[in-house]
Amino acid sequence: MQNNGKGTAVAVQVNNIYKTYGKKTVVSDVSFSVEKGEIFGLIGPNGAGKTTSIRMMMDIIKPDSGEVYILGEKFREETKNKIGYLPEERGLYKKQTVTETLKYMASLKGNAVSDKRIEEMLNRVGMLPHKNKKIEEMSRGMGQLIQFLVTVIHNPALIILDEPFSGLDPVNTEILKGLILELKEEGKSIIFSTHQMSQVEELCDRLFMINKGAEVLYGNLNEIKRKYRANSVFIAYEGEAGTLKGVTESRQKDGYTEFFLDSKTLPQDLLQQLLDKKVMVTRFEVGTPSLHEIFIRIAGANGDGNG
Amino acid sequence: MGKIKTIFKRELLNTVKRKSFILVTVAFPLLGLLVIGGIGFFQSAEEGPVNDIRIGYVDEPGDFNGNLTYGNVTLVPQEDWQSAFDNMSNGLISQFFVIPRDYMANGNILRYTFSREVDVPYEVYNTIEMFLLNNILEGKVDSSIANRVAYPLFLSNFTLSSGGEVSDQQGGFASVIIPYIFSLLLVMAIFTSSGFLLQGLGEEKENRVMEILLSSVSSTQLITGKVLGLGCAGLIQIGVWLVSARILADMASTSIGGILSGLSIPTDYLIVSLIYFVTGYLLFAIIMAGAGSIGATARESQQFSTIFTLMAVVPFFFMIQILESPAGALAQFLTFFPITAPITVIMRMAVIDIPIWELGVSIAIMVAAIFGSILLAAKIFRTFLLMHGKTPKLGEIIKTLRQA
């Protein structure tokens, strides 16, 4: 078994990392791997240990034990040049202009960037006219976009984004989502950390869910959803459905009804019954729980002291 | 190394472009020019037309009636107190004094004037004294004896070198003013640049730029680049000061003369000043950087560093003792203690030649202290650079220093 990701399609390999501050264990036995070219979600509520885990990946904090491999090797000072990191706690030099900021930050990554690339990047987010403005003159949203450009200006292979959408209005959120998906198409590996689980569902391929410093869920988003599927279907219909076999409970929702099925009944059995009754079905959907619901279910169980 | 250079360049340019830096750097030479120009101006003004002073006096014993003119001061005999007062009211005399009948027994003189004075003007006091002396001695002793009684000495001072030649450093007022100004400048240069360092780190913490920086460079690279960049800015500042101090001293020496004629700054003094600027700055910068990484905000870091700033200026409290016995135990101790060494050495240098071995030991201790504090500070940076919002307790800091 490979455990450092060398020669494989693994961008980040985290093996059993622990971090304790005083008596408080912040991260406990966390392991996961991020594949090259995917968007990987690191999710969990505030204070779950996401940022600490990321800081250990970035070698800003040393883990008490465990190992981290980035792009197939142990962290060296040069490794930083291949990573673009957008921290949750972020800011820029207020007195520097946009262009100066991008140039300086890229040079700290050991990379001189051309004016052409800077202008291209600014143009992509529609901020070329502001290139000579000082950071302190920018609105908060604009500052956040510049901050994102700083993260990717040196063309890193691995991009780590900690709560990238915080402080962004819906328009800028869409711009940023577009940029992230473009980067994925370019083959970059992206780690995306957030407490807002709905964003993960939109963007991520695989995810690691952390709570109280430990793993809660890990794997492919679709597989997880299938696994935690509550046996229910969403149906919108016209006509009289009457009594349906195998339904334990039904809830009237806004424009549709959610039917909960017993363990022997499959969704298509229910559809068959409705068709037999000549009911006009306008919507039929197998109910998948949101990540949020899955989290509540698992975290709630853990909260009872079961594990 | 490339990254250190990048940070070095930014910090240097950023500091040199700061308004406060430029202001402080040029303020000293400008102030010096102003003072020299001012003294020159007032000196030439004094040489212009001088007001005649007329002092009235009431001579009760009746023995004081000769020797009435002293330069621009003239003594005018008065009938009695009332007429003297009337004449003063009319402006015929500016003031008057009464020689009582029993003057020869007790020396009491009563002086009256309308003007409020801090003290009797030197010129007036001197004139009255000479007038009394001349009248008492007149006819009783030879005029040359009277003269010597009035002016017993015109003192000429020579500081000799060990070879018996007249030394080029003649001490006096110039020897006190030089160490005072120089130690002040040294302290200012060290504190401005290490203060900028402290402030910069605080801002980066408050602005939340720190984590982005640390994801690109190591904390050691960051601190090294900053220390060197700001140190270079400080070196430029003190360079400007030293060069202009030397030029100003020459100007003062020739244009003003008098008490400042001995004002010159020897080359070895400049070299030692530079050595102690560099070592003193490095030590302070590292201490400040440590304080800067511990404090949660720029202001809090400043409070931490005040402790060390106070320690550094201790030699100023003992300035008189150091200048009076520059080879004494206190002066030696403060020379060997790294934080107080820069100022102490500058002060002592002005009054004695510090033995080479003492300078050697002092500089060696400075260098050792610099390396020691780098080791300690490196641990502190790594732990505390990213902490904001709360300041660690003293116990945590000590624990951090023990661990790792």
Side-chain angles (χ1 to χ4, degrees):
Chain A
M1 280 288 282
Q2 288 277 8
N3 74 339
N4 63 0
K6 200 159 198 147
T8 68
V10 173
V12 178
Q13 178 69 45
V14 173
N15 295 335
N16 315 95
I17 52 170
Y18 284 85
K19 185 71 199 177
T20 308
Y21 287 118
K23 280 177 190 157
K24 193 168 186 285
T25 301
V26 185
V27 171
S28 167
D29 196 20
V30 163
S31 303
F32 59 83
S33 63
V34 179
E35 284 162 22
K36 280 185 184 161
E38 74 172 350
I39 301 182
F40 185 84
L42 184 59
I43 59 174
N46 291 326
K50 300 187 297 290
T51 298
T52 306
S53 299
I54 290 175
R55 284 181 177 171
M56 285 191 276
M57 279 188 252
M58 287 301 303
D59 198 45
I60 290 171
I61 301 173
K62 291 245 183 280
D64 296 339
S65 65
E67 295 160 326
V68 175
Y69 296 91
I70 304 285
L71 302 167
E73 52 187 25
K74 278 240 165 197
F75 205 99
R76 295 179 298 143
E77 210 38 55
E78 294 76 50
T79 310
K80 288 181 178 171
N81 297 347
K82 299 178 198 163
I83 309 177
Y85 172 39
L86 180 71
E88 183 181 7
E89 300 270 12
R90 52 184 172 252
L92 296 167
Y93 290 113
K94 290 185 180 141
K95 304 268 177 214
Q96 262 180 343
T97 67
V98 171
T99 307
E100 278 169 0
T101 303
L102 289 168
K103 263 203 177 133
Y104 181 62
M105 290 303 181
S107 65
L108 285 185
K109 291 285 189 185
N111 245 334
V113 286
S114 63
D115 291 338
K116 193 166 158 260
R117 176 162 169 83
I118 288 176
E119 294 194 356
E120 257 173 37
M121 298 285 281
L122 285 173
N123 203 25
R124 243 156 94 181
V125 291
M127 286 187 39
L128 195 52
H130 304 295
K131 68 173 187 173
N132 291 323
K133 271 197 188 165
K134 284 184 179 170
I135 296 297
E136 62 188 353
E137 297 164 25
M138 309 247 111
S139 72
R140 193 170 143 76
M142 286 156 101
Q144 293 284 18
L145 286 180
I146 295 296
Q147 195 102 45
F148 182 80
L149 294 188
V150 164
T151 311
V152 297
I153 188 83
H154 59 292
N155 199 15
L158 172 65
I159 297 161
I160 301 178
L161 307 171
D162 198 351
E163 300 285 1
F165 298 113
S166 71
L168 283 184
D169 62 25
V171 175
N172 285 330
T173 304
E174 283 313 309
I175 294 178
L176 191 52
K177 270 184 197 163
L179 285 172
I180 293 173
L181 289 172
E182 264 178 54
L183 287 168
K184 187 195 169 187
E185 272 163 34
E186 288 171 22
K188 314 281 187 211
S189 313
I190 300 163
I191 297 178
F192 169 34
S193 163
T194 184
H195 69 282
Q196 286 178 313
M197 308 204 188
S198 58
Q199 291 171 345
V200 178
E201 292 182 69
E202 276 179 70
L203 289 171
C204 296
D205 305 303
R206 294 192 315 126
L207 63 88
F208 184 92
M209 190 187 276
I210 184 171
N211 188 33
K212 293 176 187 164
E215 175 182 326
V216 175
L217 275 175
Y218 173 45
N220 184 289
L221 178 65
N222 294 331
E223 281 169 19
I224 288 173
K225 284 202 159 187
R226 218 170 298 143
K227 188 176 159 199
Y228 284 90
R229 181 177 69 199
N231 205 9
S232 78
V233 279
F234 304 139
I235 302 171
Y237 58 90
E238 289 161 21
E240 191 54 52
T243 319
L244 297 164
K245 270 188 281 176
V247 172
T248 55
E249 194 191 341
S250 70
R251 278 185 208 157
Q252 198 61 44
K253 299 265 171 94
D254 187 23
Y256 65 93
T257 312
E258 183 174 11
F259 293 96
F260 291 85
L261 311 179
D262 63 24
S263 53
K264 288 173 211 146
T265 312
L266 291 172
Q268 54 263 44
D269 298 339
L270 191 65
L271 182 61
Q272 193 60 54
Q273 287 185 55
L274 288 168
L275 293 176
D276 291 346
K277 291 188 177 182
K278 307 279 189 235
V279 168
M280 172 88 163
V281 176
T282 56
R283 179 183 171 197
F284 181 83
E285 189 184 332
V286 177
T288 47
S290 68
L291 270 178
H292 183 72
E293 286 164 341
I294 296 176
F295 173 74
I296 297 288
R297 225 192 295 168
I298 301 171
N302 285 348
D304 295 337
N306 299 335
Chain B
M1 278 318 272
K3 290 184 182 181
I4 294 180
K5 216 172 110 192
T6 309
I7 297 168
F8 167 84
K9 219 172 102 189
R10 178 184 184 273
E11 294 295 331
L12 175 60
L13 290 179
N14 243 20
T15 311
V16 174
K17 280 194 255 168
R18 270 178 198 244
K19 279 190 205 91
S20 55
F21 179 84
I22 297 173
L23 211 68
V24 172
T25 308
V26 298
F28 164 69
L30 282 184
L31 205 71
L33 267 180
L34 222 65
V35 168
I36 291 172
I39 294 176
F41 175 76
F42 285 115
Q43 267 184 351
S44 61
E46 271 172 37
E47 285 156 10
V50 188
N51 292 336
D52 288 330
I53 302 173
R54 295 170 64 83
I55 304 176
Y57 73 97
V58 180
D59 176 16
E60 290 181 359
D63 299 330
F64 297 82
N65 32 38
N67 305 294
L68 296 179
T69 314
Y70 299 86
N72 57 321
V73 185
T74 312
L75 292 147
V76 186
Q78 306 292 317
E79 282 291 294
D80 52 23
W81 195 94
Q82 191 53 50
S83 62
F85 178 79
D86 292 343
N87 285 336
M88 187 162 76
S89 304
N90 296 332
L92 291 175
I93 52 173
S94 64
Q95 54 191 292
F96 67 95
F97 61 92
V98 175
I99 308 168
R101 220 170 287 283
D102 58 354
Y103 164 73
M104 288 307 287
N106 54 30
N108 285 338
I109 295 287
L110 314 168
R111 177 170 170 266
Y112 302 92
T113 173
F114 285 136
S115 59
R116 273 188 224 168
E117 298 159 338
V118 177
D119 203 354
V120 183
Y122 175 75
E123 209 174 12
V124 171
Y125 186 90
N126 213 29
T127 304
I128 297 174
E129 193 179 23
M130 291 305 297
F131 165 75
L132 294 170
L133 197 70
N134 283 335
N135 280 299
I136 293 166
L137 293 181
E138 190 158 76
K140 299 194 177 85
V141 297
D142 200 71
S143 72
S144 65
I145 292 177
N147 244 333
R148 271 303 68 73
V149 173
Y151 301 108
L153 86 164
F154 295 96
L155 186 64
S156 298
N157 260 318
F158 300 96
T159 302
L160 294 180
S161 68
S162 53
E165 305 99 41
V166 177
S167 168
D168 51 356
Q169 288 176 59
Q170 285 296 324
F173 177 69
S175 75
V176 184
I177 192 104
I178 288 290
Y180 188 71
I181 292 176
F182 258 64
S183 41
L184 215 62
L185 288 184
L186 191 78
V187 165
M188 274 175 66
I190 290 177
F191 286 174
T192 13
S193 23
S194 55
F196 281 143
L197 181 80
L198 186 72
Q199 204 186 341
L201 278 174
E203 277 170 10
E204 277 156 10
K205 281 184 103 169
E206 279 175 52
N207 283 351
R208 308 287 191 254
V209 190
M210 191 58 85
E211 195 163 355
I212 294 174
L213 293 178
L214 290 184
S215 74
S216 307
V217 300
S218 71
S219 52
T220 318
Q221 282 172 330
L222 180 68
I223 301 288
T224 311
K226 277 178 170 294
V227 166
L228 294 182
L230 289 167
C232 204
L235 214 57
I236 291 172
Q237 186 172 57
I238 203 161
V240 170
W241 288 351
L242 288 183
V243 170
S244 54
R246 205 162 167 168
I247 296 169
L248 286 173
D250 285 346
M251 281 174 65
S253 187
T254 50
S255 80
I256 299 177
I259 50 165
L260 293 178
S261 63
L263 204 63
S264 73
I265 303 165
T267 311
D268 53 352
Y269 201 92
L270 293 185
I271 293 171
V272 173
S273 300
L274 276 181
I275 293 177
Y276 275 93
F277 168 74
V278 171
T279 49
Y281 164 73
L282 282 177
L283 182 65
F284 253 83
I286 295 160
I287 292 173
M288 292 289 183
S293 55
I294 289 173
T297 60
R299 188 196 289 180
E300 223 168 52
S301 305
Q302 224 114 39
Q303 286 166 352
F304 269 118
S305 64
T306 309
I307 305 165
F308 296 100
T309 312
L310 279 179
M311 277 164 85
V313 298
V314 159
F316 280 120
F317 305 145
F318 296 110
M319 186 164 179
I320 293 169
Q321 287 91 327
I322 291 172
L323 289 180
E324 274 176 0
S325 59
L330 175 74
Q332 269 188 339
F333 171 77
L334 292 177
T335 304
F336 294 146
F337 188 65
I339 294 180
T340 54
I343 300 176
T344 313
V345 168
I346 296 298
M347 283 182 183
R348 291 178 67 196
M349 279 272 295
V351 269
I352 55 160
D353 288 328
I354 303 176
I356 296 293
W357 74 266
E358 275 190 38
L359 282 181
V361 170
S362 162
I363 292 170
I365 293 176
M366 287 291 284
V367 173
I370 290 168
F371 279 104
S373 48
I374 286 177
L375 289 181
L376 289 182
K379 288 174 192 167
I380 293 181
F381 300 150
R382 197 171 166 93
T383 317
F384 296 114
L385 267 184
L386 276 185
M387 278 198 179
H388 19 66
K390 86 181 176 78
T391 307
K393 294 195 183 76
L394 189 63
E396 287 178 66
I397 299 170
I398 293 169
K399 209 174 119 198
T400 308
L401 290 179
R402 279 213 200 116
Q403 289 171 347

